[in-house]
């Protein structure tokens, strides 16, 4: 039955246009109409969405005229690149108008102030956008058409947010009070108040039984003494196939450098590279280094290097790591940060190498003991800017250059922020393809979304899962050759950047990479069998040999049914020879 009021309005010429009629008027396809009756944000233009994903269950939309639409996809829409994002927007094919649900927006904390000139959308006391009134309806034009990807979407700056951005650094009020860094908009009082609250990721990553103390420094200038140590092998093989991490710390400035390594035998080349770079950056010479008595530091290669450079090599007394306390303290600090960052982000432990490189960078721009300067400023002579820091593991969207897409392709690629690019003002983003790390400066971040990402990233070579397959690429970053110069692809990452130094993925010539799924063993392997149970080892060996036919060539061994066992045995023997320098 026809509505009598509508018929009367039509005769009187006072009928207001409907949303469908509005779509035929002068209106941009990117306009978003404020709708108090819509239960969800929705659009009929899929090109406006980023981070699109399928719905678990299709949603049926019923319009005022009785017609229905089906939504099977949801995504996010960037209305204002620097401040306003609509989340969980339904894509409804055939939807004539983009609808912004006032109900959903107010539930998220926004308010709408209607006035003669339009309607202001206000959040946290700030006006995010103003909707213009037309024909009794209010609409906002989407700013995505003129979107500058370099603008970063950031939430309100709080002490907790900077706590996360700085890799779960303790709340240091003097960091702001004494202007040790630039770019942080939080008051010292806010930091002091936030310090009273417990941080669960910090407890998971940093809680200890006893305090760790170190001796006071006696050095008076840069590079007078450099502490070095090696951690590993770690339980998880990183995405870049690293199992060790070499650490360096300058005794006077406190600046740290870390290098993820695939092989223990690569340490000697890494030491030469890092010390040479530190000398070039300061114009000073390394006078002494201090290490433990590990064979990776006691070899002819490094001995000749120290002799040539005039470097004094100090070694700790056996079983007395306290004599190299600064190196041990550095390792502890970095691993505490790594555990807290991984726990907070929900990322798999195979990303430990990306996390430890980031942790070292964050430590270098953070307050150190009672010093009035950060290690970065002590080493380079200028205060660092931390304005570009973003939360490790947060959601990130990379702008896709027009050269790499066609008209209807998405202009944004989702991923996860796993670090900062070396020697460039870019970020390292792990794409959702689970293998590729992209370096780009054109990134939009969502720092409110970072937890529970385990299902989107593959743990390459985890020792807890022997069936995992490693990425096919190697662990080094390589330039993609992109004409725009914005992106660079790598495989699995393990960025070696820290304190302005380059990557350190060194491999020994002739070394074949061991399968990441293979168990990590100490060398030499002969010492693993107890003499009192020689018969047990002999029985096990006999059982193994009875099941296989010994190959006559190395090629047959590495391509046969027991290739992994032969490859592991070969790698262990080769590593033993290299360590003993025979």
């Amino acid at each position: 039955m026809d509505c009598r009021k509508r018929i009367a309005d039509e005769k009187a010429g006072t009928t207001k246009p409907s949303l469908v009629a509005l779509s035929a008027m002068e209106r941009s396809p990117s306009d978003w109409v404020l709708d108090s009756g819509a239960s969800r944000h929705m659009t009929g233009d899929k090109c406006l969405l980023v981070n699109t994903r399928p719905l678990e269950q299709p949603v049926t939309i019923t319009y005022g005229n009785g017609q229905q639409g089906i939504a099977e996809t949801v995504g996010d829409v960037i209305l204002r690149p620097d401040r306003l994002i609509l989340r969980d927007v339904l894509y409804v094919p055939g939807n004539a108008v983009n609808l912004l649900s006032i109900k959903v927006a107010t539930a998220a904390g926004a308010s709408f102030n209607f006035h003669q000139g339009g309607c202001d959308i206000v959040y946290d006391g700030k006006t995010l956008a103003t909707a213009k009134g037309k024909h009794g309806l209010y609409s906002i034009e989407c700013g995505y058409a003129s979107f500058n990807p370099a603008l970063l979407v950031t939430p309100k700056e709080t002490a907790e947010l900077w706590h996360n951005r700085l890799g779960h650094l303790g709340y240091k009020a003097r960091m702001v009070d004494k202007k040790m860094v630039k770019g942080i908009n939080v008051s010292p009082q806010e930091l002091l108040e936030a310090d009273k609250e417990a941080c669960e990721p910090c407890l998971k990553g940093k809680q200890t039984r006893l305090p760790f103390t170190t001796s006071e420094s006696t050095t008076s200038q840069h590079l007078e003494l450099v502490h070095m140590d090696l951690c590993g092998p770690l339980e998880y093989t990183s995405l870049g196939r690293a199992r060790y991490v070499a650490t360096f710390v300058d005794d006077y400035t406190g600046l740290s450098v870390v290098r993820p390594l695939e092989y223990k035998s690569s340490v000697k080349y890494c030491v030469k590279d890092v010390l040479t770079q530190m000398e070039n950056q300061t114009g000073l010479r390394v006078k002494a280094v201090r290490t433990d008595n590990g064979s990776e530091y006691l070899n002819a290669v490094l001995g000749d290097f120290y002799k040539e450079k005039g470097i004094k090599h100090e070694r700790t007394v056996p079983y007395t790591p306290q004599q190299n306390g600064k190196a041990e303290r550095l390792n502890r600090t970095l691993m505490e940060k790594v555990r807290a960052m991984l726990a907070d982000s929900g990322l798999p432990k195979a990303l430990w190498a990306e996390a430890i490189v980031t942790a070292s960078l964050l430590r270098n721009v953070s307050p150190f003991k009672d010093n009035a300067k950060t290690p970065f400023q002590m080493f380079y002579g200028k205060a660092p800017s931390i304005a570009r820091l973003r939360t490790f593991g947060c959601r990130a969207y990379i702008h896709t250059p027009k050269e790499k897409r066609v008209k209807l392709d998405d202009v944004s690629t989702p991923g996860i922020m796993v670090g900062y690019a070396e020697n460039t003002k870019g970020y390292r983003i792990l794409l959702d393809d689970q293998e590729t790390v992209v370096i780009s400066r054109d990134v939009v971040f969502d720092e409110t979304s970072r937890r529970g990402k385990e299902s989107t990233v593959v743990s390459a070579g985890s020792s807890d899962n022997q069936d995992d397959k490693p990425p096919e690429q190697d662990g080094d970053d390589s330039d993609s050759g992109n004409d725009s110069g914005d992106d660079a692809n790598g495989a699995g990452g393990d960025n070696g950047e820290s304190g302005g130094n380059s990557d350190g993925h060194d491999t020994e010539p002739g070394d074949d990479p061991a399968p990441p799924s293979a168990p990590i063993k100490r060398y030499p392997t002969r010492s693993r069998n107890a003499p009192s149970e020689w018969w047990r080892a002999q029985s096990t060996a006999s059982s193994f040999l009875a099941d296989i036919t010994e190959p006559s060539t190395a090629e047959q061994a590495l391509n046969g049914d027991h290739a992994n066992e032969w490859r592991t045995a070969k790698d262990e023997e080769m590593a033993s020879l290299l360590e003993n320098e025979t």
Side-chain angles (χ1 to χ4, degrees):
M1 185 174 182
D2 292 336
C3 175
R4 287 178 291 178
K5 184 178 185 306
R6 182 180 60 79
I7 295 174
D9 289 341
E10 289 177 351
K11 290 180 179 180
T14 60
T15 304
K16 294 181 180 180
S18 64
L19 293 179
V20 177
L22 179 66
S23 65
M25 300 179 179
E26 293 183 2
R27 184 185 63 81
S28 169
S30 61
D31 280 353
W32 284 78
V33 177
L34 306 186
D35 190 349
S36 59
S39 59
R40 298 283 295 271
H41 305 312
M42 61 187 73
T43 180
D45 188 355
K46 194 174 182 180
C47 294
L48 296 177
L49 298 177
V50 297
N51 191 25
T52 56
R53 52 204 181 273
L55 290 165
E56 294 183 2
Q57 296 291 337
V59 176
T60 301
I61 305 298
T62 303
Y63 300 101
N65 59 5
Q67 296 181 354
Q68 291 185 333
I70 303 296
E72 297 182 348
T73 304
V74 68
D76 302 330
V77 173
I78 303 175
L79 286 181
R80 293 290 185 272
D82 55 341
R83 58 186 181 274
L84 183 56
I85 293 180
L86 298 183
R87 305 193 186 284
D88 299 327
V89 180
L90 297 178
Y91 167 56
V92 186
N95 202 62
V97 179
N98 304 317
L99 300 180
L100 188 158
S101 171
I102 294 180
K103 177 180 178 182
V104 173
T106 53
S111 61
F112 295 80
N113 298 335
F114 292 88
H115 49 80
Q116 186 175 5
C119 176
D120 294 333
I121 302 178
V122 180
Y123 181 78
D124 197 23
K126 297 180 180 179
T127 301
L128 303 182
T130 298
K132 298 180 181 179
K134 185 176 183 180
H135 300 297
L137 298 173
Y138 297 86
S139 63
I140 303 173
E141 183 177 0
C142 177
Y144 200 80
S146 58
F147 171 42
N148 178 5
L151 295 175
L152 307 180
V153 178
T154 58
K156 178 184 177 182
E157 290 193 23
T158 62
E160 182 182 7
L161 177 61
W162 277 105
H163 175 67
N164 294 331
R165 284 180 173 178
L166 289 167
H168 293 263
L169 171 72
Y171 294 96
K172 308 289 187 182
R174 71 177 189 275
M175 188 175 183
V176 177
D177 192 31
K178 295 185 178 181
K179 299 181 180 180
M180 299 173 69
V181 296
K182 298 178 290 186
I184 178 171
N185 298 316
V186 179
S187 68
Q189 186 61 32
E190 289 179 273
L191 292 171
L192 292 174
E193 289 296 324
D195 196 23
K196 298 177 182 179
E197 301 293 331
C199 174
E200 183 177 347
C202 282
L203 292 176
K204 289 181 178 179
K206 302 181 182 181
Q207 186 176 11
T208 59
R209 297 177 57 189
L210 296 173
F212 189 97
T213 59
T214 57
S215 58
E216 294 296 326
S217 173
T218 58
T219 54
S220 58
Q221 67 174 8
H222 302 57
L223 306 185
E224 193 171 335
L225 174 62
V226 177
H227 302 265
M228 305 187 297
D229 198 13
L230 179 71
C231 292
L234 278 76
E235 311 90 278
Y236 294 84
T237 301
S238 73
L239 296 185
R241 301 178 65 86
R243 295 182 296 172
Y244 300 86
V245 57
T247 60
F248 306 77
V249 59
D250 178 38
D251 187 83
Y252 178 70
T253 65
L255 187 90
S256 63
V257 179
V258 299
R259 290 289 184 270
L261 300 173
E262 185 175 358
Y263 299 102
K264 186 177 181 180
S265 56
S266 301
V267 171
K268 48 182 170 288
Y269 305 109
C270 177
V271 168
K272 296 172 63 176
D273 177 57
V274 171
L275 295 185
T276 300
Q277 288 191 25
M278 294 177 79
E279 288 183 342
N280 290 338
Q281 289 168 1
T282 60
L284 301 174
R285 300 289 296 271
V286 175
K287 294 180 173 59
V289 295
R290 183 176 298 170
T291 71
D292 57 23
N293 289 279
S295 60
E296 63 272 12
Y297 295 112
L298 302 177
N299 52 71
V301 173
L302 286 181
D304 292 340
F305 175 74
Y306 297 149
K307 184 176 180 180
E308 177 184 350
K309 304 282 287 187
I311 297 174
K312 179 182 178 181
H313 184 194
E314 300 177 1
R315 301 191 294 272
T316 62
V317 174
Y319 309 108
T320 313
Q322 294 85 351
Q323 291 185 332
N324 198 21
K326 286 202 172 182
E328 299 295 335
R329 176 67 215 195
L330 171 65
N331 296 342
R332 171 181 165 179
T333 299
L334 294 179
M335 292 312 298
E336 285 177 347
K337 279 183 175 288
V338 168
R339 286 192 294 264
M341 291 160 64
L342 293 179
D344 186 42
S345 64
L347 294 173
K349 294 180 180 179
L351 284 171
W352 65 263
E354 297 285 351
I356 201 169
V357 170
T358 303
S360 178
L361 182 148
L362 298 178
R363 176 191 172 277
N364 287 334
V365 298
S366 304
F368 182 66
K369 288 189 175 182
D370 296 326
N371 294 344
K373 299 179 181 179
T374 64
F376 182 96
Q377 185 174 3
M378 289 282 291
F379 193 85
Y380 292 103
K382 59 182 179 180
S385 174
I386 61 174
R388 77 180 186 120
L389 295 187
R390 295 295 177 264
T391 305
F392 181 88
C394 71
R395 202 66 175 149
Y397 304 94
I398 307 169
H399 176 66
T400 305
K402 62 182 180 180
E403 293 85 358
K404 293 187 177 182
R405 55 182 167 87
V406 295
K407 292 286 186 182
L408 298 181
D409 284 351
D410 291 344
V411 298
S412 182
T413 304
I416 299 170
M417 187 276 199
V418 293
Y420 304 87
E422 179 187 10
N423 299 328
T424 64
K425 292 184 178 180
Y427 298 90
R428 295 175 58 79
I429 309 300
L430 178 66
L431 299 184
D432 286 350
D433 67 2
Q434 305 174 355
E435 296 181 353
T436 306
V437 172
V438 173
I439 297 176
S440 177
R441 69 174 183 86
D442 298 330
V443 188
V444 173
F445 294 97
D446 180 7
E447 294 186 89
T448 63
S449 175
R450 62 183 182 276
R451 296 181 184 274
K453 302 299 183 184
E454 294 92 333
S455 60
T456 64
V457 183
V458 169
S459 301
S462 169
S463 61
D464 288 346
N465 187 351
Q466 300 298 328
D467 295 330
D468 287 347
K469 294 182 178 180
E472 294 180 358
Q473 298 93 332
D474 58 31
D476 293 331
D477 295 335
S478 58
D479 192 85
S480 63
N482 174 18
D483 292 338
S484 66
D486 288 340
D487 300 333
N489 295 335
D494 295 7
N495 180 11
E497 167 213 4
S498 179
N501 292 316
S502 62
D503 199 352
H505 285 290
D506 303 298
T507 56
E508 188 77 357
D511 282 352
D512 292 327
S517 59
I520 301 171
K521 299 182 178 181
R522 297 182 180 274
Y523 306 113
T525 57
R526 304 178 186 88
S527 62
R528 294 180 62 85
N529 295 326
S532 60
E533 295 184 353
W534 60 269
W535 53 271
R536 190 184 302 276
Q538 185 179 21
S539 174
T540 302
S542 299
S543 175
F544 172 74
L545 293 174
D547 294 334
I548 64 173
T549 302
E550 183 176 355
S552 57
T553 65
E555 182 178 1
Q556 291 178 5
L558 298 179
N559 292 306
D561 295 335
H562 300 277
N564 286 340
E565 288 85 348
W566 288 111
R567 186 177 291 107
T568 299
K570 178 179 70 68
D571 291 342
E572 291 177 354
E573 186 63 21
M574 179 62 71
S576 178
L577 293 173
L578 290 172
E579 285 190 9
N580 294 320
E581 298 188 10
T582 57

